[in-house]
């Protein structure tokens, strides 16, 4: 167990932007919520799964909806507590902790708010190790953990509880209720016991986000090159150094999709990289050949500052390092790849783990 | 004829312009009492140009006064903030991310009330006049007069902010009220922050604008006075007294607009080479390209559109190191004329390299004649590479564009840069801010979310353009000169009905000015 204070939260938020792989929502609002709750209710304890009893009930919490709405209509605060307690009440057992379902982006820090207010611990694990665009895309799904009982609450006091036959159905219904709630809802889902989470979740992801954030911050202070230090701290691979030469965007079924094209610089001079995205970065091709794909993490870092660059911020002239970080092994199973592999996102290729590609070449 | 004045923290500059001609310029120190400095600057340019002040069409003033007050936390009024949006937004009340010493300066008088809208225009909750009345009574009992009012999605529908202001005025008829919808865009905290900053600056603004006017009447100038806004357009002086926050960052904007004017280019890269840094910006249709990221002023996050500039550590005073060759970011700064080798010092600077390479003649060239010519060549290559990389980063496409090079350090730059079609080094640059103010036009802006399921994209665009044009005209632009200068469309992820945020900016010439 260790204590999370304001500084830890800022580091987690910064690191979560890296794990967001270009998406996941701006952690700023979530960081403010978590910081405010810690100031008002005291610091939050971060536990590892081993520090609980196997039968303890853990319920993750998150925000769902359009990032543009989140910066305008911020939550009430009671809404996410309502969702959290509703799931506990439905199950009829005491809740021992909350956790993040998505360590990348905004939802890394939102559960810290819940933990502070409920005076419960937060667990150092999540269900993605990164960010993904849809609710069923969590390691819990691979291990048969249901997203339901699922609760979603709005600021008015409405709570919708649902039971579904699959996590994909939860995504479908939750998406349309979210629109009715004003394009943003607060959710509690994937209730599980510690025993189940030991098998199904990705451990240590809060600490990982924090380490990345702290690395970037101290590299900046010491005027080191943050790109190298970040890459080392996450065990990632340098895929490319280049300049964004074009970005093509389109909206399909509510998702922001597109491709960015990079011209190589330094050792990569003469090479051309194509980066495809759908809210998050999905695939990297160099001179037409697939080099990195989901579920491995593709991260763009500003060459000078090490600042992660989101899909929305990409534009001509940015000089970036493209870093690939191996995803958790749970994603590399048949079931994992069925959920979030290249074929799910429309690329008819087999997934090759990034370290195989880089260690052999 | 126009007079442009730039009231900075250090200098007050003035220019007299007739059409596109610069008739007279001056640079004088800014005085503690702002009026004196302006009068002195005005007197100099009026005498130099033998100007008949009766023939003036307008006096345009750019000032960093209000930004500085915010940064230095001085002369700020205690301010209350009422936010309409209950039951939403409770977890992050107004002023939540403000620095403590700034909150101490204005007090934490924040109130949440019912109201606000959803992204699609539905009400979050009904507006309650009694609730606002009760809040205002409490504000009144604290003796506070400055009030900022914000409402969720007020850029989509500002009705509740207006209603709340009416109720506040019933209780506090002299209240100085700022509505967030009049100054900001989508992003509640940032827009509300701007409204609160505006409210707490209103007293200072009224006094400052009064001293501007005093200076003009001391010079017998009866022409209307205008103040520059952050987007490079003008507002009349009385409007500025009500919206001081709109002057934030007008300095860099005026400087770039001045560069555009002096070089006669509307689309170009502007490279301002100073003593320590080089700032690279982009002009699009004569206006600076705006930055996409949040801008912090005095530690407070806002969503003003500031010019997008890239700053690199290269200037005339940059210290040169060998093995490996490195230029900057350390600089001798204002001590250049003591420390650089050409001035008899012992630090090798970028200026020494320019002189040794024969591209500039300042100081004593003999003092740098012993520098190895291969080193000079390599350092020079490094400098040109730093500049061309910075320029390339700011360009929007790979095609060639012209560059305007300004600033004291511009001697460092070769006459050819990769990716640049033409290099222009204009005169009068030291008063570019005042020129930028003098040539400014009047603008109007709109920023809304449209549902493209209900109307076509063309209809939405034309509605947004009409709205921006109307706003420019009501701000004082001549209708027949209004042009759309910027259109930005952002499709919103996860929203139904193809919701798209459309931002449009229109500008036109000042009415009454030929």
């Amino acid at each position: 167990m260790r204590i999370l204070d304001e500084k830890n939260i800022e580091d987690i938020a910064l690191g979560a932007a890296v794990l967001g792989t270009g998406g996941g929502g701006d952690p700023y609002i979530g960081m403010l919520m978590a910081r405010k709750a810690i100031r008002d209710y005291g610091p939050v304890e971060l536990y590892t799964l081993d520090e609980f009893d196997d039968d303890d009930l853990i319920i993750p919490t998150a925000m769902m909806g359009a990032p543009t709405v989140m910066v305008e209509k911020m939550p009430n605060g009671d809404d996410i507590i309502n969702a959290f307690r509703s799931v506990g009440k439905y199950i009829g057992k005491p809740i021992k902790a909350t956790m993040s379902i998505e360590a990348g982006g905004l939802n890394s820090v939102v559960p810290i708010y819940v933990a502070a207010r409920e005076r419960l611990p937060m667990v150092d694990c999540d269900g993605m190790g990164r960010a993904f665009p849809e609710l069923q895309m969590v390691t819990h799904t691979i291990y048969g953990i249901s997203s339901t009982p699922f609760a979603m609450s709005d600021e008015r006091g409405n709570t919708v509880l649902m039971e579904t036959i699959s996590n994909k159905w939860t995504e479908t219904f939750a998406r349309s209720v979210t629109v009715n709630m004003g394009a943003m809802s607060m959710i509690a889902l994937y209730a599980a016991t510690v025993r189940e989470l030991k098998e199904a979740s990705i451990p240590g992801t809060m600490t990982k986000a924090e380490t990345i954030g702290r690395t970037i911050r101290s590299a900046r202070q010491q005027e080191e090159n943050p790109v190298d230090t970040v890459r080392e701290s996450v065990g990632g691979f340098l895929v490319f150094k280049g300049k964004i030469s074009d970005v093509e965007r389109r909206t399909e079924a509510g998702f922001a999709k597109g491709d960015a094209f990079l011209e190589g610089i330094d050792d990569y001079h003469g090479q051309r990289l194509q980066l495809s995205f759908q809210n998050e970065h999905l695939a990297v091709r160099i001179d037409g050949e697939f080099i990195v794909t989901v579920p491995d993490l593709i991260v763009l870092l500003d060459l000078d500052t090490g600042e992660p660059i989101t899909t929305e911020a990409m534009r001509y002239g940015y000089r970036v390092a493209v870093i690939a970080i191996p995803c958790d092994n749970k994603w590399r199973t048949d079931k994992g790849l069925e959920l979030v592999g290249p074929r799910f996102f429309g690329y008819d290729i087999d997934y090759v783990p990034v370290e195989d590609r880089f260690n052999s070449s | 004829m126009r007079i442009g004045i730039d009231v900075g923290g250090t200098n007050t500059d003035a220019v007299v312009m007739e059409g596109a001609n610069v008739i007279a310029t001056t640079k004088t120190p800014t005085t503690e009492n702002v009026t004196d400095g302006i009068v002195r600057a005005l007197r100099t340019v009026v005498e130099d140009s033998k100007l008949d002040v009766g023939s003036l069409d307008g006096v345009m003033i750019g000032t960093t006064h209000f930004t500085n007050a915010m940064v230095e936390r001085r002369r700020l009024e205690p301010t209350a903030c009422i936010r309409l949006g209950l039951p939403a937004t409770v977890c992050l009340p107004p002023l939540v991310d403000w620095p403590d010493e700034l909150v101490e300066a204005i007090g934490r008088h924040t109130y949440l009330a019912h109201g606000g809208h959803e992204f699609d225009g539905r009400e979050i909750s009904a507006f309650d006049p009694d609730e606002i009345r009760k809040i205002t009574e409490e504000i009144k009992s604290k003796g506070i007069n400055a009030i900022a009012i914000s409402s969720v999605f007020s850029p989509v529908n500002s009705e509740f902010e207006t209603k709340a202001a009416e109720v506040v005025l019933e209780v506090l008829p002299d209240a100085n009220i700022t509505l967030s919808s009049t100054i900001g865009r989508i992003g509640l905290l940032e827009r509300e922050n701007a409204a609160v900053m505006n409210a707490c600056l209103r007293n200072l603004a009224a006094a400052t604008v009064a001293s501007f006017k005093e200076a003009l009447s001391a010079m017998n100038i009866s022409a209307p006075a205008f103040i520059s806004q952050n987007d490079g357009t003008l507002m009349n002086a009385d409007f500025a007294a009500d919206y001081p926050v709109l002057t934030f960052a007008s300095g860099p904007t005026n400087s770039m607009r001045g560069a555009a004017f002096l070089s006669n280019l509307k689309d170009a890269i502007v490279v301002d080479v100073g003593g320590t840094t080089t700032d690279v910006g982009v002009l699009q249709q004569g206006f600076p390209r705006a930055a996409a990221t949040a801008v912090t002023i005095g530690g407070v996050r806002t969503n003003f559109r500031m010019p997008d500039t890239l700053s690199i550590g290269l200037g005339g005073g940059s210290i040169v190191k060998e093995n490996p060759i490195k230029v900057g970011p350390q600089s001798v700064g204002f001590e250049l004329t003591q420390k650089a080798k050409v001035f008899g010092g012992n630090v090798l600077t970028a200026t020494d390299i320019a002189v040794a390479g024969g591209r500039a003649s300042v100081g004593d060239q003999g003092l740098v004649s012993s520098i190895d010519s291969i080193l000079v060549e390599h350092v020079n290559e490094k400098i040109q590479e730093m500049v061309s990389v910075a320029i390339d980063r700011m360009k929007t496409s790979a095609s060639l564009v012209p560059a305007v090079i300004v600033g004291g350090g511009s001697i460092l730059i070769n006459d050819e840069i990769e990716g640049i079609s033409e290099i222009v080094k204009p005169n009068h640059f030291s008063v570019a801010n005042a020129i930028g103010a003098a040539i400014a036009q009047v603008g109007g802006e709109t920023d809304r979310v449209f549902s493209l399921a209900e109307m076509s994209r063309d209809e939405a665009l034309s509605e947004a353009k009409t709205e921006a044009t109307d706003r420019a005209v009501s701000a004082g632009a001549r209708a027949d000169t209004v042009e759309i200068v910027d259109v930005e469309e952002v499709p919103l992820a996860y929203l139904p009905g193809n919701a798209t945020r459309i931002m449009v900016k229109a500008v036109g010439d000042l009415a009454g000015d030929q």
Side-chain angles (χ1 to χ4, degrees):
Chain A
M1 190 277 287
R2 64 195 180 89
I3 302 287
L4 294 181
D5 62 18
E6 288 186 23
K7 191 93 259 146
N8 303 130
I9 287 168
E10 285 168 24
D11 285 341
I12 291 174
L14 182 54
V18 172
L19 296 178
T21 68
D26 184 351
Y28 177 68
I29 290 285
M31 189 275 289
L32 286 185
M33 285 170 63
R35 204 175 66 186
K36 176 93 171 55
I38 282 184
R39 284 180 188 170
D40 294 349
Y41 300 92
V44 164
E45 296 170 342
L46 183 71
Y47 281 64
T48 60
L49 281 169
D50 294 334
E51 293 172 293
F52 293 93
D53 289 337
D54 273 357
D55 291 325
D56 283 350
L57 175 67
I58 313 289
I59 303 177
T61 41
M63 280 167 86
M64 179 168 187
T68 324
V69 172
M70 291 175 187
V71 300
E72 183 66 34
K73 192 185 86 167
M74 282 113 48
N76 171 288
D78 288 349
D79 32 21
I80 196 159
I81 302 294
N82 287 343
F84 182 64
R85 290 183 185 170
S86 295
V87 173
K89 195 167 109 189
Y90 186 87
I91 293 171
K93 277 175 60 182
I95 313 169
K96 290 296 165 71
T98 188
M99 62 178 264
S100 166
I101 199 68
E102 180 177 35
L106 172 78
N107 281 322
S108 58
V109 276
V110 166
I112 299 173
Y113 176 86
V114 176
R117 276 196 56 174
E118 295 289 81
R119 297 179 197 281
L120 283 173
M122 162 114 176
V123 194
D124 191 1
C125 65
D126 84 317
M128 296 187 192
R130 48 167 295 156
F132 274 123
E134 296 181 37
L135 183 156
Q136 77 280 5
M137 298 174 177
V138 294
T139 47
H140 299 55
T141 304
I142 302 172
Y143 292 87
I145 297 178
S146 172
S147 51
T148 63
F150 174 92
M152 49 198 310
S153 301
D154 68 9
E155 71 282 354
R156 297 175 171 85
N158 294 311
T159 294
V160 175
L161 258 166
M162 58 175 96
E163 287 277 14
T164 61
I165 55 165
S166 75
N167 295 338
K168 175 71 187 163
W169 274 109
T170 313
E171 158 72 24
T172 306
F173 293 135
R175 199 61 68 190
S176 61
V177 175
T178 295
V179 170
N180 288 318
M181 288 182 165
M184 188 182 77
S185 60
M186 309 305 276
I187 61 176
L189 68 175
Y190 290 107
T193 62
V194 167
R195 185 181 297 108
E196 289 173 303
L197 287 173
K198 281 179 177 169
E199 181 186 48
S201 73
I202 303 178
T205 39
M206 290 299 107
T207 301
K208 186 174 181 177
E210 189 188 344
T211 308
I212 298 170
R214 195 173 50 236
T215 306
I216 296 179
R217 189 164 50 86
S218 64
R220 270 186 206 152
Q221 281 161 1
Q222 290 153 27
E223 293 187 18
E224 286 168 12
N225 183 340
V227 171
D228 287 339
T229 43
V230 169
R231 187 187 54 71
E232 279 166 28
S233 78
V234 293
F237 299 88
L238 177 64
V239 177
F240 201 73
K241 277 187 189 177
K243 188 189 93 167
I244 299 176
S245 58
D246 196 14
V247 185
E248 293 169 9
R249 299 176 192 278
R250 56 189 186 274
T251 316
E252 277 173 31
F255 291 112
K257 296 188 183 183
D259 292 277
F261 297 90
L262 279 71
E263 304 292 340
I265 53 178
D266 300 343
D267 294 349
Y268 301 88
H269 186 81
Q271 297 181 37
R272 182 174 159 86
L273 178 144
Q274 178 180 0
L275 171 68
S276 307
F277 56 89
Q278 172 184 327
N279 294 9
E280 285 83 33
H281 302 310
L282 295 179
V284 161
R285 274 168 270 194
I286 296 179
D287 295 334
E289 187 197 349
F290 281 96
I291 301 295
V292 194
T293 69
V294 273
D296 286 330
L297 286 70
I298 299 162
V299 180
L300 260 63
L301 298 176
D302 183 293
L303 261 187
D304 298 322
T305 63
E307 193 80 32
I309 295 171
T310 62
T311 56
E312 293 130 33
M314 287 193 297
R315 64 165 190 235
Y316 177 91
Y318 266 30
R319 271 153 209 275
V320 298
V322 181
I323 306 285
I325 306 173
C327 67
D328 191 86
N329 277 329
K330 295 187 172 77
W331 288 128
R332 294 173 166 184
T333 58
D334 289 346
K335 279 184 172 174
L337 292 172
E338 198 181 304
L339 271 180
V340 296
R343 287 204 170 81
F344 178 87
F345 290 99
Y347 304 101
D348 193 19
I349 49 161
D350 291 327
Y351 165 73
V352 179
V354 61
E355 56 270 43
D356 292 2
R357 189 100 57 179
F358 280 82
N359 289 338
S360 64
S361 63
Chain B
M1 301 278 266
R2 291 173 163 202
I3 290 182
I5 304 173
D6 175 52
V7 188
T10 316
N11 288 310
T12 296
D13 303 342
V15 297
V16 175
M17 297 193 64
E18 182 171 23
N21 297 318
V22 179
I23 310 289
T25 69
T26 188
K27 202 178 239 322
T28 61
T30 297
T31 50
E32 181 68 38
N33 161 0
V34 183
T35 313
D36 295 347
I38 298 177
V39 170
R40 191 179 311 150
L42 279 173
R43 183 159 293 139
T44 310
V45 287
V46 167
E47 281 169 11
D48 286 358
S49 62
K50 301 184 177 59
L51 173 73
D52 166 16
V53 294
S55 69
L56 276 174
D57 294 309
V59 177
M60 287 72 182
I61 304 169
T63 181
T64 53
H65 222 65
F66 308 125
T67 318
N68 294 346
M70 217 59 224
V71 173
E72 295 162 17
R73 289 107 166 83
R74 62 180 167 82
R75 298 186 68 182
L76 306 177
E77 215 181 327
T79 299
C81 179
I82 306 172
R83 181 198 288 167
L84 311 169
L86 282 180
T89 80
V90 178
C91 71
L92 295 176
L95 312 186
V96 66
D97 198 19
W98 283 46
D100 291 341
E101 70 274 18
L102 198 49
V103 175
E104 270 161 39
I106 67 161
R108 198 179 284 285
H109 313 288
T110 61
Y111 301 89
L112 298 177
H114 287 83
H117 288 84
E118 301 283 3
F119 73 97
D120 55 6
R122 285 178 291 158
E123 292 179 7
I124 293 175
S125 58
F127 176 75
D128 178 359
D130 289 335
E131 190 181 17
I132 302 298
R133 215 163 278 131
K134 215 176 276 174
I135 289 171
T136 314
E137 291 291 354
E138 195 181 323
I139 293 171
K140 188 181 176 183
S141 73
K142 290 179 175 176
I144 293 167
N145 198 45
I147 301 171
I149 301 174
S150 63
S151 181
V152 176
F153 275 110
S154 64
V156 175
N157 188 340
S158 60
E159 176 199 348
F160 289 160
E161 289 188 2
T162 313
K163 282 187 172 170
E166 286 165 10
V167 177
V168 168
L169 286 174
E170 285 170 23
V171 181
L172 261 177
D174 297 326
N176 119 33
I177 300 172
T178 301
L179 305 185
S180 82
S181 54
T182 58
I183 39 182
R185 23 201 318 122
I186 287 173
L188 176 64
L189 284 177
E190 291 84 358
R191 184 175 71 249
E192 181 178 81
N193 288 345
V196 175
M197 287 195 274
N198 192 70
C200 77
L201 285 169
R202 289 269 294 273
N203 272 352
L204 175 65
T208 307
V209 169
S211 62
F212 289 165
K213 287 183 165 175
E214 200 184 310
L216 298 190
S217 64
M219 292 296 298
N220 294 317
I221 295 172
S222 57
F226 298 92
I227 312 283
S228 312
Q229 301 191 57
N230 55 13
D231 66 356
T233 59
L234 297 171
M235 48 188 164
N236 77 46
D238 294 324
F239 186 82
D242 290 340
Y243 294 101
V245 86
L246 297 182
T247 65
F248 285 3
S250 60
T253 304
N254 278 346
S255 150
M256 285 187 63
R257 297 254 311 140
F261 176 82
L262 291 168
S263 61
N264 224 349
L265 292 169
K266 278 195 153 187
D267 296 281
I269 300 282
V270 178
V271 185
D272 183 351
V273 193
T276 304
T277 60
T278 294
D279 299 320
V280 183
V282 180
L283 284 167
Q284 287 173 331
Q285 298 208 51
F287 285 86
R289 183 173 77 206
T293 46
V295 181
T296 301
I297 291 162
V300 178
R301 205 163 128 125
T302 72
N303 55 7
F304 286 121
R305 306 189 80 188
M306 302 291 188
D308 185 13
T309 55
L310 174 69
S311 197
I312 59 168
L314 170 69
S318 290
I319 296 171
V320 176
K321 287 186 185 141
E322 302 170 53
N323 303 322
I325 289 174
K326 200 168 172 241
V327 184
Q330 286 82 21
S331 166
V332 295
F334 66 93
E335 294 175 309
L336 181 72
T337 52
Q338 286 109 57
K339 293 200 168 167
K341 291 199 167 183
V342 283
F343 295 109
N346 57 7
V347 182
L348 183 62
T349 65
T351 297
D352 299 321
I353 298 294
V355 174
R359 275 169 297 114
S361 51
V362 292
D364 182 352
Q365 195 164 357
L367 293 171
V368 292
S369 57
S370 62
I371 302 174
D372 179 12
S373 64
I374 294 172
L375 175 69
V376 170
E377 196 178 310
H378 285 166
V379 175
N380 185 43
E381 276 170 20
K382 177 79 189 167
I383 290 171
Q384 309 311 323
E385 185 198 322
M386 288 168 78
V387 174
S388 69
V389 165
I391 288 177
D392 197 45
R393 232 177 110 168
M394 296 300 286
K395 282 166 67 175
T396 46
S397 76
S399 58
L400 294 176
V401 287
V404 188
I405 314 278
V406 294
S410 55
I411 50 168
L412 302 185
I413 314 296
N414 282 0
D415 290 335
E416 270 177 39
I417 303 176
E418 207 184 308
I420 291 297
S421 58
E422 167 197 11
I423 288 183
V424 183
K425 294 184 179 176
N427 295 323
H428 298 303
F429 183 73
S430 70
V431 291
N433 285 32
I435 292 172
I439 58 161
Q441 296 169 296
V442 182
E445 222 180 282
T446 186
D447 175 2
R448 272 173 53 195
V449 177
F450 290 86
S451 167
L452 298 187
E454 288 158 21
M455 58 171 82
S456 74
R457 179 173 162 272
D458 286 346
E459 281 167 345
L461 277 173
S462 103
E463 194 176 316
K465 286 177 182 175
T466 308
E467 210 170 279
T469 305
D470 290 348
R471 286 186 184 174
V473 171
S474 66
R478 235 170 56 207
D480 59 321
T481 63
V482 176
E483 282 180 89
I484 302 294
V485 292
D486 195 17
V487 179
E488 209 179 318
E489 286 177 74
V490 186
L492 303 182
Y494 292 123
L495 283 183
N498 265 331
T500 294
R501 177 175 168 185
I502 299 180
M503 291 162 271
V504 176
K505 184 159 125 189
V507 296
D509 293 338
L510 202 57
D513 187 46
Q514 299 304 313

